[in-house]
Amino acid sequence: MSTTTGTPPGVGRDDLERLTEHWEEPRSLRAWFTTVDHKKIGRRYLVTAGFFFALAGLGALTMRTQLARPEAEVLSPQEYNQLFTMHGTAMIFLFATPMLFGFGNFLVPLMIGSRDMAFPRLNAFGYWVFLFAGLFMWASLPFGAAPNNGWFAYAPLNDVRNNPGLHMDVYALGLLFLGISTTAGAINFIVTALKLRAPGMSLNRVPLFVWAIVATAFMVIFALPALNTDNALLFLDRRFGAHFFDPSHGGNVLLWQHLFWIFGHPDVYIIVMPALGIVSAVLPAFTRRGVVGYPLIVLAIVAISIISFGVWVHHMFATGLPQLSYSFFSAASTIITIPSGIQIFAWLATMLLGRLVLRAPLLFVIGFIVTFVLGGFTGAMFALTAFDQQVTDSYFVVAHFHYVLVGGAVFPILAGIYYWLPKMTGRMYHEGLARWAFWLFFTGMHVTFFPMHLYGLFGMPRRVYTYRGDLGWNGWNLVSTIGAYLLAVSLLLVLIGVVHAVRRGRPAPADPWDGDSLEWSTASPPEPYNFPVIPQVHSLHPAWDERTVESTSSGATEDRILSHGRRTLFTSELDARPERAVRMPEPTFKPLVLAGALLVFFVAMLLAWYPVAVAAVAAVAATVAAWLWPTRRPDEELGVAS
């Protein structure tokens, strides 16, 4: 059910009918496969990433059951290694970033006053590649061929001599496949945010969530090539004997770690940055004021995205590199806490100066701040080389990165789900059920991971599938396992709450929270064209600004209604001055076909069916040619067609 704000004055019935005709997609099986609507694609990202999260969570629960008591036999060493690796790989690559990009897909065009992403077909292609890459990796588990060397896949344990079979081939090819989706999405976010902002939305009026998504996209563009290079070299080593990581043939095992962590440490912020943007988006609605220190937060976002590329050796303090080099990376690892601290203090000031409305999204934000700060304290400890070397490869490390990633990403993700669920579905969630989910999640989080600090300091190594009963770790491991089951129950309540809202929740008004950004000036859920009139933005908080609200309800002209065709507005990069209308592409099978051809290619490379791989390359080339083939005469071309 869509709750609208009424037909804006100046927009005739004929205009709305034309907009609906051009933008609405029919409800059919064909439309499901051909859609290029950013809202549908965003919801699919959220659901698919949630599915992969559930698989990874079940794997974690099984591992915690194995570790609940010493010398248990729930899993064999081989099964444990595969679950351990798929858990980490899925949480990092198949859940956190795609889930947050799902929020971005749904929200960025709405927040900036656009009718779609800059490249709708590329957006659909990115989703299909993400889905196929995830299935490609998870499908290996039932066959006992899943990756089994940890999500970090260190050399030389990843080579074919130490790790025969398809395990690490699945890892290398799966992440190369997935990287195509992530890169396509990053490019799309950058162009969308720079060129499709509503008139008047200059850079100093861009929502903080959009700033966070764009900074993340730039980080992806610069960080991902290192990971792709690593995996390409690994596949060449394993399949064709290239020896890039083999010291006996002139290779270097540390080359893997350098390339991996050049990607890996920025990836921590690639995961956390959009989550921080969610926090900045949620707070105004529940504090009744704008976030304190907007310019400082923007500078902090930019600073984190730059400094994060200078701390990768932070993960290699125990590898025997020159001691002098450690000092530089130790300093950078300490400095990066400053911009993170700026955001924390800005949020705390916002809550202190505002009038708090204690609803479920704000509870999850508060839980995030508490947990993320605790993770930040241990992160600062790891910046000290001597301490890092003492606790390397212990459960203290496991505790730290779960505090950072669960605290820094999952709490804001849950806040975002409850905050934007009315906008996405047109239905309100059950507040009591949401509060129960929060308290169970908050309790389960700390019961699970806080004890890991202790038995890590007591000497328990990470990456082990069992332990002796006389080492003093038994009780702490049992406590962590109980906490893991609490986490599972809390997340089950979240799922029940979402399903209940979709099926039985009361209809949501257009703006149930009195939010400050443009998505709350649209219907719930938004119409296919998002805005009947492209807004004219006059302030940082357009939904609270009377002039901006009036611009969407009066004085509408054709250059802002754009009802003749599937069109949106291009604006200038800095000041968002109107430039021209651009025609957006129609729904098409091409993104699905191209992603399917790539899936065939990667499966063929995995199974060494090289003639099939060559045929798949030909299919990819043919599909790309059809995609790029002009479909309009030059005098009809109005803009972007990808």
Side-chain angles (χ1 to χ4, degrees), residues 526-544:
E527 299 291 348
Y529 45 81
N530 292 349
F531 300 92
V533 180
I534 301 296
Q536 176 75 41
V537 175
H538 294 276
S539 76
L540 179 58
H541 309 287
W544 292 347

Side-chain angles (χ1 to χ4, degrees), residues 199 534 555-563 567-569 578 580-581:
I534 301 296
T557 57
E558 172 54 28
D559 62 347
R560 285 177 40 227
I561 299 174
L562 300 176
S563 62
R567 297 190 294 165
T568 193
L569 192 64
R580 59 194 173 103

Side-chain angles (χ1 to χ4, degrees), residues 172 176 223-236 244-245 255-256 259-260 263:
L176 283 169
L224 201 56
L227 179 66
N228 291 338
T229 300
D230 229 5
N231 283 305
L233 297 182
L234 174 61
F235 187 73
L236 292 173
F244 288 104
F245 307 114
L255 174 61
W256 172 272
L259 288 172
F260 186 87
F263 157 81

Side-chain angles (χ1 to χ4, degrees), residues 199-217:
M201 186 176 281
S202 53
L203 290 182
N204 62 336
R205 294 172 179 169
V206 172
L208 288 169
F209 177 76
V210 178
W211 271 108
I213 287 288
V214 172
T216 301

